[in-house]
Amino acid sequence: MEELKQIHAHMFKTGLVSDATLSYKLLTFCVLPNSGNLAYARMVFDRFRRPNTVMWNTMIRGYSNNNQAEEALHLYHQMLYQSVPHNNYTFPFLLKACSCLSALEETKQIHTRIIKMGFSSEVYAMNSLLHVYTITGCIESANLVFDRIPDRDIVSFNSMINGYAKCGEMVRASELFRNMPEKNVVSWTTMISGYVNAGLDKEALNMFCEMQMAGIEPDNVTLASALSACARLGALDQGSWIHSYIDKNRIYVDPILGCVLTDMYVKCGNMEQALEIFSNIEKKDVSSWTAIIEGFAIHGRGREALNWFMQMQSTGIKPNHITFTSILTACSYAGLVDEGKSLFQSMKTIYKLTPSIEHYGCMVDLLGRAGLLKEAKDFIETMPTTPNAAIWGALLKACRIHRHLELGKQIGKILIELDPAHGGRYIQLSSIHAAAGEWNQAVRVRKQMEDLGVPKVPGCSWISLNGVVHEFLAGDGSHPEMGKIYHAWESVAERLRQEGHEPVTGDLLLDLEDEEKETAIRQHSEKLAITFGLMRTKPGVTIRVFKNLRVCEDCHRVIKLISKIYGRDIVLRDRVRFHVIKEGKCSCEDYW
C-alpha cells in the first residue's frame, strides 16, 4: 500500500489521475481482501466527479469481500440515486452482501430490479440471486428462479441442491443431483454434507463411496463431512480408511480436518488414535482441545480430562462455552463433585463466561448422579433462567437411580407438562410408578401417551463390520441373518445362565409376568448386535456396538459377563457415553 500511495501521488503530479483505466486498476488493488485499504479506496473513489459503472462495481465488490456488507448496500443506494447504469457485474457482489446480512427484503428488491433492467437471462446474476434465496431458506423463491434460468450451469444446480439440503429435503436434492448433466466436487460434497446435517449418516457414507467410484477426488470439506458421518455411526473401519486416504494422498490436515479426525476416533472409542492425531495438529485451537477433553469425558476418564483442561490453558488457549460443557460432563461422569462445582463457579469469576442452560444441566446431572438430590433440586429452583425439560429430565434420571420415587413422580408430571410430545417423558414417569409398584398408574401414563399419539423412540443398535453398518431394532426381525442371530443368542443365554446370571427386569415398564419380562429384555438391540459381532468376528477381536438410547441395567450386566466368558473386549457407546468392558469390568465402574 505504501508503494501504491507513492504511485498515486505520481499520477497527480503527471496529470494521470483522471485516467479512468489507471484509476480502475488503483481501486482494484485497494479493495483486495487483507492486502488492500478500503478507506483509501473510498477516498480515491469519492474524488471522481462521475465514477463509471466499473468503479461503482469495484467498490461494491470491495465492501462485500471485506465483510462490510452494509456499506456495500449503502453505496448501491447512492448508485441508484445518481442513476448510474448497471451491467451484469453489478448484481453478484451486491447479492453477496445481501447473503451476508440475510437481507431478504433487499434481495427481493434487487430481484425486481434485475428483471426490470433485463438481466434475468444473465446466468451469473441469476446464480447469485439463487444463492441468496437458498442460504436464507426461501426454497420456493429459489425454485422459481432456478426454473427461469435459461442456461443453467453447474453452479445453478449446486446452489439449488444446497437449498434443498439446508431445508432437509434430501429426496428432492437427490433427484436434482441424479439429473445433473455434469457434477463436480462441490456437487458431491453438498449432497454428503446434506445427508450428514439431516442425520442420514449411512446415506452420506454411501454417497461418499459413489463419489470414489466416480473418480472424483474429495476435498477437505468432503472428507470432514464423511468423517462426521463415521463419528456418529461409530464406523471405525470407514473412518480409518478415510484417514489412510488422507495420509496416502498427502492431504494437508488443517485445524478443522484435524479436529474432525480427532472427534471421529473419540466417537468410535479409540482414544489412543485420537491422541495421536491431536498431537500432530500444528496449530491447535480451542475446538481441537475441546474435542480431546470431550473424548476423556465420554469415556469416563474425568481426571485425565481435567489434566488436559489445565494443559490447554498452559498453552494460552482459553476455554469457551463448549469446552466447559465437556469438562463439566467429565466431572459428572466421574463423580468429581467438588471439582465440578469449582469449575462452574470459575466460569464467571475467572473466565468471564455466563453459564448457559447446558452448563446448568451439567451441574444438575453432576449433583443428581452423586445422590445429592435435594441440593440438585435447590440448584434448579435458584437458577437465574427457567429450567427446561432436559434439566428436569436429568434430575428425574437421578431419582430413578437412587430410588427417590416420590420426588421422581413430582418431576415426571412437570416434565410431561413441559414436553408433552416427547415419548421418553411418559416412559420415565411410567417407569417411576412401576418401580414404586403402582402398576395402575404406570399403565395410565402409558395409555395417556398412546391416546395422544406420542411416538416412542425404539431402541436401536448398530455394529460396523468390514465397512458395512448392520442395524438392529429391539425385537425386530428384519436383519437377513436374524434366524441365525437368535439361535446364537440362545447359546449365549445358556452360558449366561450357567454362570448364574438372572435377568434384571426392574427396568421394564409394563406389568408383565416374569417370563414375558425376561423374553422382552432378551431382545434388546445391543444384545442382538453383540451376538452378531461374536458370530462374525474372530476370537479376541474387539466388538464395538453403538446404541441410540441409554443402556439398561440388565444389558450392562450381560455385556460384562459376555466379555468375561468369551474373552472379548467390548466397546459400547450409548446415548451419552462409552462403556469400555474388559475381562468383565466396565470403565464406568458402574457409575452411570
Side-chain angles (χ1 to χ4, degrees):
M1 276 306 302
E2 291 307 312
E3 286 83 354
L4 187 77
K5 289 175 183 178
Q6 292 174 24
I7 294 169
H8 190 204
H10 186 70
M11 287 169 63
F12 270 107
K13 290 178 182 178
T14 57
L16 292 172
V17 74
S18 59
D19 186 300
T21 303
L22 284 176
S23 296
Y24 165 67
K25 290 182 178 180
L26 181 73
L27 278 178
T28 301
F29 185 90
C30 287
V31 301
L32 287 173
N34 303 320
S35 61
N37 186 325
L38 268 179
Y40 194 82
R42 186 59 184 264
M43 182 194 74
V44 173
F45 178 80
D46 286 343
R47 289 193 174 185
F48 275 89
R49 290 183 59 191
R50 290 180 181 237
N52 60 27
T53 301
V54 175
M55 291 178 181
W56 284 93
N57 290 348
T58 302
M59 284 304 301
I60 290 170
R61 182 181 71 205
Y63 283 127
S64 294
N65 285 341
N66 285 278
N67 299 318
Q68 296 189 39
E70 290 181 357
E71 283 297 321
L73 293 178
H74 180 67
L75 190 64
Y76 180 64
H77 289 147
Q78 293 181 40
M79 185 179 180
L80 290 176
Y81 181 74
Q82 296 184 29
S83 301
V84 179
H86 293 47
N87 64 20
N88 58 328
Y89 294 103
T90 303
F91 298 105
F93 289 102
L94 184 61
L95 288 164
K96 181 180 178 180
C98 291
S99 69
C100 292
L101 296 170
S102 295
L104 187 56
E105 287 306 314
E106 287 82 353
T107 301
K108 290 178 178 178
Q109 291 171 24
I110 294 167
H111 187 179
T112 303
R113 197 163 295 280
I114 287 172
I115 294 171
K116 284 184 177 180
M117 292 185 167
F119 290 101
S120 55
S121 61
E122 293 287 346
V123 69
Y124 191 30
M126 294 301 283
N127 278 345
S128 300
L129 184 62
L130 179 61
H131 175 71
V132 182
Y133 281 135
T134 55
I135 68 167
T136 53
C138 297
I139 195 66
E140 295 308 320
S141 296
N143 210 9
L144 287 171
V145 171
F146 181 77
D147 288 342
R148 291 174 183 174
I149 298 176
D151 298 309
R152 300 174 196 138
D153 59 11
I154 198 165
V155 176
S156 314
F157 278 92
N158 286 346
S159 292
M160 198 65 223
I161 291 170
N162 186 49
Y164 285 135
K166 281 185 177 295
C167 293
E169 298 186 26
M170 290 309 300
V171 173
R172 296 178 74 179
S174 179
E175 289 173 356
L176 196 59
F177 175 81
R178 299 297 177 192
N179 291 325
M180 284 180 73
E182 180 187 0
K183 302 175 182 69
N184 62 9
V185 65
V186 176
S187 316
W188 289 93
T189 301
T190 303
M191 285 298 298
I192 293 167
S193 300
Y195 279 128
V196 171
N197 292 332
L200 301 170
D201 300 300
K202 288 176 69 174
E203 289 80 355
L205 290 184
N206 290 338
M207 182 64 70
F208 182 73
C209 290
E210 277 190 57
M211 182 182 181
Q212 296 286 299
M213 289 186 286
I216 306 295
E217 292 186 7
D219 60 15
N220 280 34
V221 179
T222 321
L223 295 167
S225 295
L227 285 166
S228 294
C230 293
R232 290 214 297 240
L233 286 172
L236 183 59
D237 292 344
Q238 292 95 320
S240 298
W241 185 90
I242 294 171
H243 184 194
S244 299
Y245 178 90
I246 291 168
D247 288 344
K248 182 180 177 182
N249 290 277
R250 298 181 178 180
I251 296 169
Y252 173 65
V253 179
D254 58 24
I256 294 175
L257 190 55
C259 181
V260 176
L261 261 173
T262 302
D263 185 64
M264 184 276 293
Y265 280 115
V266 161
K267 298 287 173 60
C268 290
N270 191 332
M271 280 301 297
E272 291 71 23
Q273 190 65 49
L275 283 167
E276 184 178 334
I277 296 295
F278 175 79
S279 64
N280 291 328
I281 299 174
E282 290 181 11
K283 295 181 180 179
K284 300 177 180 67
D285 58 12
V286 66
S287 298
S288 307
W289 283 96
T290 300
I292 207 72
I293 290 168
E294 184 193 9
F296 285 113
I298 62 178
H299 281 79
R301 295 159 68 174
R303 290 289 177 192
E304 290 170 271
L306 286 171
N307 290 337
W308 282 87
F309 182 74
M310 299 306 294
Q311 284 185 50
M312 178 186 76
Q313 293 169 86
S314 68
T315 64
I317 303 293
K318 293 182 179 180
N320 60 18
H321 283 86
I322 302 172
T323 315
F324 267 101
T325 300
S326 297
I327 194 63
L328 289 173
T329 298
C331 292
S332 177
Y333 290 172
L336 304 175
V337 177
D338 292 338
E339 292 84 347
K341 288 180 179 180
S342 177
L343 283 165
F344 183 77
Q345 292 299 324
S346 73
M347 286 187 70
K348 286 183 183 178
T349 57
I350 298 176
Y351 301 99
K352 310 303 178 187
L353 295 172
T354 302
S356 69
I357 196 77
E358 286 79 13
H359 302 119
Y360 285 102
C362 288
M363 288 303 296
V364 172
D365 192 57
L366 171 75
L367 297 169
R369 283 176 188 271
L372 304 172
L373 299 179
K374 183 180 184 305
E375 189 175 345
K377 188 171 183 290
D378 292 343
F379 182 85
I380 291 174
E381 291 172 348
T382 57
M383 281 171 49
T385 183
T386 304
N388 61 10
I391 286 182
W392 286 114
L395 184 55
L396 180 60
K397 181 174 65 179
C399 290
R400 180 87 172 90
I401 292 170
H402 298 286
R403 298 190 67 80
H404 200 310
L405 304 180
E406 287 305 315
L407 179 59
K409 284 183 274 187
Q410 295 172 30
I411 295 168
K413 291 175 183 176
I414 294 172
L415 266 172
I416 287 178
E417 291 176 6
L418 277 177
D419 202 4
H422 192 304
R425 309 306 181 196
Y426 297 86
I427 293 170
Q428 284 176 308
L429 179 57
S430 180
S431 177
I432 291 286
H433 283 300
E438 299 170 351
W439 292 108
N440 289 337
Q441 291 295 326
V443 171
R444 185 186 62 78
V445 173
R446 289 297 294 265
K447 188 173 187 308
Q448 181 186 359
M449 174 183 168
E450 292 172 8
D451 291 344
L452 292 172
V454 179
K456 175 191 174 185
V457 177
C460 175
S461 297
W462 55 96
I463 182 171
S464 177
L465 297 174
N466 301 318
V468 178
V469 177
H470 299 266
E471 196 171 67
F472 298 89
L473 292 173
D476 177 51
S478 60
H479 192 280
E481 295 187 54
M482 191 53 72
K484 294 179 182 178
I485 294 169
Y486 278 133
H487 181 72
W489 167 251
E490 289 301 325
S491 175
V492 172
E494 180 58 34
R495 289 286 302 273
L496 293 172
R497 281 192 289 271
Q498 290 172 7
E499 292 291 328
H501 172 69
E502 293 184 7
V504 182
T505 58
D507 278 344
L508 289 186
L509 304 177
L510 299 179
D511 190 11
L512 303 174
E513 296 296 329
D514 287 343
E515 186 177 343
E516 291 175 308
K517 286 183 180 180
E518 185 175 340
T519 301
I521 213 163
R522 285 166 62 188
Q523 297 184 12
H524 280 189
S525 60
E526 57 267 55
K527 288 173 179 157
L528 300 176
I530 288 171
T531 302
F532 187 64
L534 290 171
M535 289 169 52
R536 294 287 293 271
T537 59
K538 295 179 181 178
V541 173
T542 298
I543 296 174
R544 299 174 187 273
V545 171
F546 303 85
K547 183 174 181 177
N548 65 332
L549 302 176
R550 187 171 178 267
V551 62
C552 76
E553 185 179 354
D554 182 73
C555 287
H556 194 255
R557 289 189 185 183
V558 163
I559 295 167
K560 288 195 296 181
L561 200 51
I562 288 174
S563 168
K564 181 180 178 181
I565 293 170
Y566 292 90
R568 293 291 193 107
D569 291 354
I570 300 174
V571 178
L572 172 68
R573 188 184 83 191
D574 68 12
R575 186 175 59 85
V576 292
R577 66 174 299 168
F578 274 93
H579 299 267
V580 181
I581 301 165
K582 298 182 179 183
E583 298 177 355
K585 294 182 180 179
C586 183
S587 59
C588 74
E589 297 181 356
D590 297 335
Y591 187 83
W592 54 281

